[in-house]
Amino acid sequence: MLKALLLALTLLAPTSNAAEIFTAPPGAPDPAKTYVFYLHGKIIEEKGPRPTDARFGLYDYPAVLETLASRGAVVISAQRPKDTDMAAYAGAVVGQVERLVEAGVPEHHIVVVGFWKGGGIAARVSSFLRRKDVRFVLLAACWDAKQSPVRLTGRVLSIREASDTLVPESCRTFAEQSEKPTSFDEIVIDTGRSHGAFYLPREEWTKPTLDFIHTGRNDPAIGHE
């Protein structure tokens, strides 16, 4: 179902305002564009692209992808198989990012956004990749910060929900280790929606995410420090 949706979206590409959403990076990427990897939450592995959780409501994965593409970014996202190993999947994403860089895409035109299990994967991509200007948005991602060997690198934005009892921890534990990321900021939103705050493309988290993705993207200081 998701693949069919993504195919339908990509078939709309001839119009300039159409969302560019793919399951893998394009073979001949345009270095002038921004590439956003979105790594979804665990429930998508188990129940498909638009599941409903009894506690948190509808998770509208396709709507999230369209929102992330709404300012012109190329969005890359695929539904993972059930019980995907986080470290192995992170390694695969690292390979995709490296291929974009090798094709001439600047590091600061690449953003990895991850929610819940996808956020744990994104944190591991940051730890494995070690490129100082690739950007990361960690959404409700740091439930195991005190136990994990992850060392964040790159430019990192963490967003967490104040009412989220499932993921109450800050990502600062990751960021304040002896090896620090290039930059780190954390935003706490308060929608009252608990973990479900990130199930829909609510402005509380999508606006700071989109601003982080696009603001400063053409700053000559980034990538030339």
Side-chain angles (χ1 to χ4, degrees):
M1 179 179 176
L2 178 60
K3 289 182 178 178
L5 171 67
L6 294 174
L7 178 59
L9 287 170
T10 56
L11 288 175
L12 295 175
T15 62
S16 59
N17 294 325
E20 291 189 90
I21 303 172
F22 304 96
T23 56
D30 180 352
K33 292 187 176 182
T34 297
Y35 295 86
V36 177
F37 292 82
Y38 176 72
L39 304 170
H40 58 69
K42 183 179 180 182
I43 191 173
I44 302 296
E45 291 184 12
E46 300 169 345
K47 296 184 178 181
R50 297 187 80 249
T52 298
D53 182 271
R55 299 165 295 173
F56 307 130
L58 171 69
Y59 186 166
D60 197 339
Y61 175 30
V64 169
L65 297 182
E66 290 197 46
T67 300
L68 291 175
S70 64
R71 295 191 192 175
V74 177
V75 174
I76 301 154
S77 188
Q79 184 179 333
R80 300 186 303 270
K82 186 177 180 181
D83 299 325
T84 292
D85 180 83
M86 288 199 294
Y89 201 88
V93 175
V94 167
Q96 292 180 320
V97 172
E98 291 288 9
R99 285 191 288 276
L100 286 177
V101 174
E102 289 169 5
V105 178
E107 291 183 16
H108 59 286
H109 288 202
I110 301 171
V111 189
V112 181
V113 179
F115 164 55
W116 184 215
K117 182 176 180 178
I121 295 170
R124 284 158 177 77
V125 174
S126 172
S127 187
F128 298 162
L129 186 63
R130 318 194 72 74
R131 286 191 174 272
K132 67 185 182 68
D133 286 325
V134 174
R135 303 181 187 211
F136 297 87
V137 182
L138 307 180
L139 307 171
C142 297
W143 67 92
D144 62 347
K146 294 177 182 177
Q147 291 79 35
S148 174
V150 166
R151 301 290 184 270
L152 295 179
T153 66
R155 299 180 183 272
V156 181
L157 172 64
S158 166
I159 304 178
R160 58 192 182 94
E161 161 64 37
S163 64
D164 189 352
T165 57
L166 192 61
V167 188
E169 293 185 43
S170 167
C171 288
R172 290 192 183 277
T173 304
F174 282 152
E176 293 177 351
Q177 302 187 52
S178 57
E179 182 181 7
K180 294 178 171 57
T182 306
S183 64
F184 177 83
D185 192 17
E186 186 164 79
I187 297 171
V188 180
I189 61 175
D190 191 0
T191 67
R193 299 283 184 170
S194 187
H195 200 60
F198 301 99
Y199 272 33
L200 297 176
R202 294 185 171 89
E203 186 178 12
E204 288 88 347
W205 72 266
T206 58
K207 185 179 186 303
T209 295
L210 289 167
D211 287 347
F212 180 74
I213 289 169
H214 293 282
T215 300
R217 177 183 169 280
N218 297 315
D219 185 343
I222 297 175
H224 299 281
E225 296 175 352

